[in-house]
Short mmCIF file of all heavy atoms in Angstrom, two decimals:
data_model
loop_
_atom_site.label_atom_id
_atom_site.label_comp_id
_atom_site.label_asym_id
_atom_site.label_seq_id
_atom_site.Cartn_x
_atom_site.Cartn_y
_atom_site.Cartn_z
N TYR A 24 14.12 0.77 0.10
CA TYR A 24 13.65 1.72 -0.90
C TYR A 24 13.26 1.01 -2.20
O TYR A 24 12.19 1.28 -2.77
CB TYR A 24 14.75 2.76 -1.17
CG TYR A 24 14.45 3.70 -2.30
CD1 TYR A 24 13.60 4.78 -2.14
CD2 TYR A 24 15.04 3.51 -3.55
CE1 TYR A 24 13.33 5.66 -3.18
CE2 TYR A 24 14.78 4.37 -4.60
CZ TYR A 24 13.93 5.43 -4.42
OH TYR A 24 13.66 6.29 -5.46
N SER A 25 14.11 0.11 -2.66
CA SER A 25 13.83 -0.62 -3.91
C SER A 25 12.60 -1.49 -3.79
O SER A 25 11.76 -1.54 -4.70
CB SER A 25 15.05 -1.46 -4.30
OG SER A 25 16.20 -0.67 -4.48
N SER A 26 12.47 -2.19 -2.65
CA SER A 26 11.33 -3.08 -2.44
C SER A 26 10.02 -2.31 -2.37
O SER A 26 9.01 -2.71 -2.96
CB SER A 26 11.53 -3.90 -1.15
OG SER A 26 12.66 -4.73 -1.25
N MET A 27 10.02 -1.19 -1.64
CA MET A 27 8.81 -0.39 -1.50
C MET A 27 8.43 0.26 -2.82
O MET A 27 7.25 0.30 -3.20
CB MET A 27 9.01 0.67 -0.43
CG MET A 27 8.99 0.14 0.99
SD MET A 27 7.34 -0.44 1.51
CE MET A 27 6.51 1.12 1.76
N LYS A 28 9.43 0.77 -3.53
CA LYS A 28 9.16 1.41 -4.81
C LYS A 28 8.55 0.40 -5.79
O LYS A 28 7.59 0.70 -6.50
CB LYS A 28 10.46 1.98 -5.37
CG LYS A 28 10.28 2.99 -6.50
CD LYS A 28 11.60 3.62 -6.88
CE LYS A 28 11.42 4.68 -7.94
NZ LYS A 28 10.70 5.86 -7.44
N GLN A 29 9.11 -0.80 -5.82
CA GLN A 29 8.57 -1.84 -6.70
C GLN A 29 7.17 -2.25 -6.28
O GLN A 29 6.29 -2.46 -7.12
CB GLN A 29 9.49 -3.06 -6.68
CG GLN A 29 9.05 -4.18 -7.61
CD GLN A 29 9.98 -5.38 -7.55
OE1 GLN A 29 10.33 -5.85 -6.47
NE2 GLN A 29 10.39 -5.87 -8.71
N ALA A 30 6.94 -2.37 -4.96
CA ALA A 30 5.62 -2.76 -4.46
C ALA A 30 4.56 -1.74 -4.86
O ALA A 30 3.45 -2.10 -5.26
CB ALA A 30 5.67 -2.92 -2.95
N VAL A 31 4.91 -0.46 -4.76
CA VAL A 31 3.97 0.60 -5.14
C VAL A 31 3.69 0.57 -6.64
O VAL A 31 2.55 0.74 -7.08
CB VAL A 31 4.51 1.98 -4.70
CG1 VAL A 31 3.64 3.11 -5.27
CG2 VAL A 31 4.57 2.08 -3.18
N GLN A 32 4.73 0.32 -7.43
CA GLN A 32 4.55 0.24 -8.88
C GLN A 32 3.66 -0.95 -9.27
O GLN A 32 2.78 -0.83 -10.12
CB GLN A 32 5.92 0.13 -9.57
CG GLN A 32 6.74 1.41 -9.50
CD GLN A 32 8.15 1.23 -10.01
OE1 GLN A 32 8.65 0.11 -10.16
NE2 GLN A 32 8.83 2.35 -10.28
N LEU A 33 3.88 -2.09 -8.62
CA LEU A 33 3.06 -3.27 -8.89
C LEU A 33 1.62 -3.04 -8.45
O LEU A 33 0.67 -3.47 -9.12
CB LEU A 33 3.64 -4.49 -8.19
CG LEU A 33 4.97 -5.00 -8.73
CD1 LEU A 33 5.54 -6.10 -7.84
CD2 LEU A 33 4.80 -5.52 -10.16
N ALA A 34 1.46 -2.36 -7.31
CA ALA A 34 0.11 -2.04 -6.84
C ALA A 34 -0.60 -1.12 -7.81
O ALA A 34 -1.81 -1.23 -8.03
CB ALA A 34 0.17 -1.41 -5.45
N SER A 35 0.16 -0.21 -8.43
CA SER A 35 -0.42 0.70 -9.42
C SER A 35 -0.90 -0.07 -10.64
O SER A 35 -1.95 0.24 -11.21
CB SER A 35 0.61 1.77 -9.83
OG SER A 35 0.97 2.56 -8.72
N VAL A 36 -0.14 -1.08 -11.04
CA VAL A 36 -0.55 -1.93 -12.17
C VAL A 36 -1.85 -2.66 -11.82
O VAL A 36 -2.72 -2.85 -12.68
CB VAL A 36 0.56 -2.93 -12.53
CG1 VAL A 36 0.06 -3.94 -13.56
CG2 VAL A 36 1.79 -2.20 -13.05
N ASP A 37 -1.97 -3.05 -10.55
CA ASP A 37 -3.16 -3.76 -10.11
C ASP A 37 -4.37 -2.85 -9.96
O ASP A 37 -5.48 -3.31 -9.72
CB ASP A 37 -2.89 -4.46 -8.76
CG ASP A 37 -1.90 -5.60 -8.91
OD1 ASP A 37 -1.72 -6.07 -10.05
OD2 ASP A 37 -1.30 -6.00 -7.90
N GLY A 38 -4.13 -1.54 -10.03
CA GLY A 38 -5.25 -0.60 -9.95
C GLY A 38 -5.24 0.29 -8.73
O GLY A 38 -6.28 0.78 -8.29
N LEU A 39 -4.05 0.52 -8.17
CA LEU A 39 -3.95 1.44 -7.04
C LEU A 39 -4.34 2.85 -7.48
O LEU A 39 -3.74 3.42 -8.38
CB LEU A 39 -2.52 1.45 -6.50
CG LEU A 39 -2.18 2.54 -5.46
CD1 LEU A 39 -2.99 2.34 -4.19
CD2 LEU A 39 -0.69 2.51 -5.14
N THR A 40 -5.33 3.40 -6.87
CA THR A 40 -5.77 4.76 -7.22
C THR A 40 -5.85 5.65 -6.00
O THR A 40 -5.54 6.85 -6.07
CB THR A 40 -7.15 4.74 -7.90
OG1 THR A 40 -8.08 4.07 -7.05
CG2 THR A 40 -7.08 4.03 -9.25
N GLU A 41 -6.23 5.09 -4.86
CA GLU A 41 -6.42 5.93 -3.68
C GLU A 41 -5.13 6.04 -2.87
O GLU A 41 -4.25 5.18 -2.93
CB GLU A 41 -7.54 5.36 -2.79
CG GLU A 41 -7.14 4.13 -1.96
CD GLU A 41 -7.24 2.82 -2.73
OE1 GLU A 41 -7.31 2.85 -3.97
OE2 GLU A 41 -7.23 1.77 -2.08
N ASN A 42 -5.01 7.13 -2.13
CA ASN A 42 -3.87 7.34 -1.25
C ASN A 42 -4.16 6.76 0.14
O ASN A 42 -5.31 6.45 0.47
CB ASN A 42 -3.57 8.84 -1.11
CG ASN A 42 -2.76 9.37 -2.28
OD1 ASN A 42 -1.79 8.75 -2.70
ND2 ASN A 42 -3.18 10.50 -2.82
N ILE A 43 -3.09 6.63 0.92
CA ILE A 43 -3.28 6.27 2.32
C ILE A 43 -4.15 7.33 2.98
O ILE A 43 -3.99 8.53 2.73
CB ILE A 43 -1.93 6.17 3.05
CG1 ILE A 43 -1.09 5.04 2.46
CG2 ILE A 43 -2.12 5.95 4.54
CD1 ILE A 43 0.28 4.91 3.08
N THR A 44 -5.05 6.90 3.82
CA THR A 44 -5.98 7.83 4.45
C THR A 44 -5.28 8.87 5.32
O THR A 44 -4.20 8.62 5.85
CB THR A 44 -6.98 7.05 5.31
OG1 THR A 44 -7.86 7.97 5.96
CG2 THR A 44 -6.28 6.24 6.39
N TYR A 45 -5.92 10.02 5.45
CA TYR A 45 -5.46 11.03 6.40
C TYR A 45 -6.14 10.83 7.76
O TYR A 45 -5.88 11.56 8.71
CB TYR A 45 -5.75 12.43 5.88
CG TYR A 45 -4.55 13.07 5.22
CD1 TYR A 45 -4.53 13.36 3.87
CD2 TYR A 45 -3.42 13.40 5.97
CE1 TYR A 45 -3.43 13.94 3.27
CE2 TYR A 45 -2.30 13.99 5.38
CZ TYR A 45 -2.32 14.26 4.04
OH TYR A 45 -1.22 14.84 3.44
N GLU A 46 -7.02 9.84 7.81
CA GLU A 46 -7.65 9.53 9.09
C GLU A 46 -6.60 8.97 10.04
O GLU A 46 -5.78 8.14 9.66
CB GLU A 46 -8.78 8.50 8.91
CG GLU A 46 -9.99 9.00 8.17
CD GLU A 46 -11.09 7.95 8.14
OE1 GLU A 46 -11.47 7.46 9.22
OE2 GLU A 46 -11.54 7.62 7.03
N LYS A 47 -6.63 9.41 11.27
CA LYS A 47 -5.68 8.93 12.26
C LYS A 47 -6.17 7.60 12.81
O LYS A 47 -6.58 7.49 13.96
CB LYS A 47 -5.50 9.98 13.35
CG LYS A 47 -4.95 11.29 12.82
CD LYS A 47 -4.92 12.37 13.87
CE LYS A 47 -4.34 13.66 13.31
NZ LYS A 47 -5.09 14.21 12.18
N SER A 48 -6.11 6.59 11.95
CA SER A 48 -6.65 5.27 12.30
C SER A 48 -5.72 4.17 11.80
O SER A 48 -5.52 4.02 10.59
CB SER A 48 -8.05 5.10 11.67
OG SER A 48 -8.45 3.75 11.72
N GLY A 49 -5.14 3.41 12.73
CA GLY A 49 -4.29 2.30 12.36
C GLY A 49 -5.04 1.24 11.57
O GLY A 49 -4.49 0.63 10.65
N GLU A 50 -6.32 1.03 11.90
CA GLU A 50 -7.13 0.03 11.21
C GLU A 50 -7.33 0.41 9.74
O GLU A 50 -7.25 -0.44 8.85
CB GLU A 50 -8.49 -0.13 11.89
CG GLU A 50 -8.46 -0.84 13.24
CD GLU A 50 -7.92 0.04 14.36
OE1 GLU A 50 -7.86 1.29 14.17
OE2 GLU A 50 -7.54 -0.51 15.41
N LYS A 51 -7.57 1.69 9.48
CA LYS A 51 -7.76 2.15 8.10
C LYS A 51 -6.48 2.01 7.29
O LYS A 51 -6.50 1.63 6.11
CB LYS A 51 -8.22 3.62 8.10
CG LYS A 51 -9.63 3.84 8.61
CD LYS A 51 -10.65 3.39 7.57
CE LYS A 51 -12.05 3.74 8.01
NZ LYS A 51 -13.06 3.29 7.02
N ILE A 52 -5.35 2.34 7.92
CA ILE A 52 -4.07 2.24 7.22
C ILE A 52 -3.72 0.78 6.97
O ILE A 52 -3.21 0.42 5.89
CB ILE A 52 -2.97 2.95 8.03
CG1 ILE A 52 -3.27 4.45 8.08
CG2 ILE A 52 -1.59 2.70 7.42
CD1 ILE A 52 -2.39 5.23 9.01
N LEU A 53 -4.01 -0.09 7.92
CA LEU A 53 -3.78 -1.52 7.73
C LEU A 53 -4.64 -2.05 6.59
O LEU A 53 -4.18 -2.86 5.76
CB LEU A 53 -4.07 -2.29 9.02
CG LEU A 53 -3.90 -3.81 8.93
CD1 LEU A 53 -2.46 -4.17 8.61
CD2 LEU A 53 -4.35 -4.48 10.24
N GLU A 54 -5.88 -1.60 6.52
CA GLU A 54 -6.78 -2.01 5.44
C GLU A 54 -6.21 -1.59 4.09
O GLU A 54 -6.21 -2.37 3.12
CB GLU A 54 -8.15 -1.37 5.65
CG GLU A 54 -9.18 -1.72 4.60
CD GLU A 54 -10.51 -1.03 4.83
OE1 GLU A 54 -10.76 -0.56 5.97
OE2 GLU A 54 -11.30 -0.93 3.88
N TRP A 55 -5.70 -0.37 3.99
CA TRP A 55 -5.09 0.12 2.75
C TRP A 55 -3.85 -0.70 2.40
O TRP A 55 -3.65 -1.11 1.25
CB TRP A 55 -4.71 1.59 2.90
CG TRP A 55 -4.17 2.21 1.65
CD1 TRP A 55 -4.85 2.91 0.71
CD2 TRP A 55 -2.80 2.17 1.19
NE1 TRP A 55 -4.02 3.31 -0.31
CE2 TRP A 55 -2.75 2.87 -0.04
CE3 TRP A 55 -1.63 1.62 1.70
CZ2 TRP A 55 -1.57 3.03 -0.76
CZ3 TRP A 55 -0.44 1.78 0.98
CH2 TRP A 55 -0.43 2.48 -0.24
N TYR A 56 -3.03 -0.97 3.41
CA TYR A 56 -1.80 -1.73 3.20
C TYR A 56 -2.11 -3.15 2.71
O TYR A 56 -1.49 -3.62 1.74
CB TYR A 56 -1.00 -1.79 4.50
CG TYR A 56 0.17 -2.73 4.47
CD1 TYR A 56 1.40 -2.32 3.96
CD2 TYR A 56 0.05 -4.03 4.95
CE1 TYR A 56 2.48 -3.19 3.92
CE2 TYR A 56 1.13 -4.91 4.92
CZ TYR A 56 2.33 -4.48 4.40
OH TYR A 56 3.39 -5.35 4.35
N ASN A 57 -3.05 -3.81 3.35
CA ASN A 57 -3.40 -5.18 2.95
C ASN A 57 -3.98 -5.23 1.53
O ASN A 57 -3.74 -6.19 0.79
CB ASN A 57 -4.40 -5.78 3.93
CG ASN A 57 -3.75 -6.16 5.26
OD1 ASN A 57 -2.55 -6.43 5.31
ND2 ASN A 57 -4.53 -6.17 6.33
N LYS A 58 -4.70 -4.21 1.17
CA LYS A 58 -5.31 -4.17 -0.16
C LYS A 58 -4.29 -3.88 -1.26
O LYS A 58 -4.40 -4.43 -2.37
CB LYS A 58 -6.41 -3.10 -0.18
CG LYS A 58 -7.11 -2.95 -1.53
CD LYS A 58 -8.18 -1.87 -1.46
CE LYS A 58 -8.86 -1.67 -2.81
NZ LYS A 58 -9.88 -0.59 -2.77
N ASN A 59 -3.28 -3.08 -0.96
CA ASN A 59 -2.39 -2.59 -2.01
C ASN A 59 -0.96 -3.11 -1.98
O ASN A 59 -0.39 -3.42 -3.03
CB ASN A 59 -2.35 -1.06 -1.97
CG ASN A 59 -3.69 -0.43 -2.28
OD1 ASN A 59 -4.12 -0.42 -3.43
ND2 ASN A 59 -4.36 0.10 -1.26
N LEU A 60 -0.36 -3.23 -0.80
CA LEU A 60 1.07 -3.53 -0.75
C LEU A 60 1.43 -4.90 -0.19
O LEU A 60 2.49 -5.44 -0.52
CB LEU A 60 1.80 -2.47 0.08
CG LEU A 60 1.75 -1.02 -0.42
CD1 LEU A 60 2.65 -0.16 0.45
CD2 LEU A 60 2.16 -0.92 -1.87
N ALA A 61 0.58 -5.44 0.65
CA ALA A 61 0.94 -6.66 1.41
C ALA A 61 1.44 -7.79 0.52
O ALA A 61 2.45 -8.44 0.82
CB ALA A 61 -0.25 -7.12 2.24
N LYS A 62 0.77 -8.05 -0.60
CA LYS A 62 1.15 -9.18 -1.45
C LYS A 62 2.44 -8.94 -2.23
O LYS A 62 2.99 -9.88 -2.83
CB LYS A 62 0.02 -9.52 -2.40
CG LYS A 62 -0.33 -8.43 -3.41
CD LYS A 62 -1.51 -8.87 -4.27
CE LYS A 62 -1.93 -7.77 -5.24
NZ LYS A 62 -3.09 -8.20 -6.07
N HIS A 63 2.92 -7.73 -2.24
CA HIS A 63 4.13 -7.40 -2.99
C HIS A 63 5.36 -7.25 -2.09
O HIS A 63 6.45 -6.96 -2.58
CB HIS A 63 3.93 -6.10 -3.77
CG HIS A 63 2.79 -6.14 -4.73
ND1 HIS A 63 2.68 -7.09 -5.73
CD2 HIS A 63 1.67 -5.37 -4.82
CE1 HIS A 63 1.57 -6.89 -6.42
NE2 HIS A 63 0.94 -5.85 -5.89
N LEU A 64 5.20 -7.44 -0.79
CA LEU A 64 6.32 -7.31 0.15
C LEU A 64 6.48 -8.60 0.95
O LEU A 64 5.49 -9.25 1.30
CB LEU A 64 6.07 -6.15 1.12
CG LEU A 64 6.12 -4.73 0.56
CD1 LEU A 64 5.68 -3.73 1.63
CD2 LEU A 64 7.52 -4.38 0.07
N ARG A 65 7.72 -8.94 1.24
CA ARG A 65 8.01 -10.11 2.07
C ARG A 65 8.30 -9.63 3.49
O ARG A 65 9.25 -8.88 3.72
CB ARG A 65 9.20 -10.88 1.51
CG ARG A 65 8.98 -11.41 0.09
CD ARG A 65 10.18 -12.17 -0.41
NE ARG A 65 10.41 -13.37 0.37
CZ ARG A 65 11.50 -14.14 0.27
NH1 ARG A 65 12.47 -13.79 -0.56
NH2 ARG A 65 11.63 -15.23 1.02
N THR A 66 7.46 -10.01 4.42
CA THR A 66 7.56 -9.49 5.78
C THR A 66 7.48 -10.60 6.82
O THR A 66 7.06 -11.72 6.53
CB THR A 66 6.42 -8.49 6.05
OG1 THR A 66 5.16 -9.19 5.98
CG2 THR A 66 6.42 -7.36 5.03
#
């Protein structure tokens, strides 16, 4: 919870404006994740 919350906050500082898509597409969600959260999480 703490890691995800911090990652979202950092992404917002970087300019996160759009939400995760409602499209039922793993590729679209991965694209959103890589653009916004990937660099802020250790996986």
